[in-house]
Amino acid sequence: MSDILDRLAETLEARKQASPDSSYVARLYAKGTDAILKKIGEEATETVMAAKDGQPEKIICEVADLWFHTLVLLAHKGLKPADVLNELARREGLSGLAEKANRRGEST
């Protein structure tokens, strides 16, 4: 499953060298972080709306769009899907309440 994430990460990295006229992702990179964040917000809203509609196909498509744009953000910031997967692995087996309490402790 992480193979597709790795391939997509490689493509997103390559788009950093592409002309904004030739690539949607290159255009997003050229517009900067705020444009990428705006797109993630739009996709998150569309995901919520699809979930409320309850149509599995729409939910899948909107989550795919949300994940894609989140991966664009990671690449833009020099991060990789493996960084997120490693964090999820670190949290595996840890109570969500305990994990949240640990994060609060780190920020104080």
Side-chain angles (χ1 to χ4, degrees), residues 16-60:
K16 289 180 177 180
Q17 309 307 315
S19 165
D21 295 332
S22 69
S23 164
Y24 168 75
V25 172
R27 188 173 304 146
L28 274 177
Y29 289 150
K31 289 181 180 179
T33 303
D34 285 346
I36 296 168
L37 295 175
K38 180 179 179 189
K39 196 63 187 165
I40 290 172
E42 290 171 10
E43 298 302 344
T45 299
E46 291 172 7
T47 299
V48 169
M49 292 168 42
K52 289 187 84 49
D53 289 345
Q55 295 178 2
E57 312 82 40
K58 283 181 72 175
I59 295 168
I60 290 167

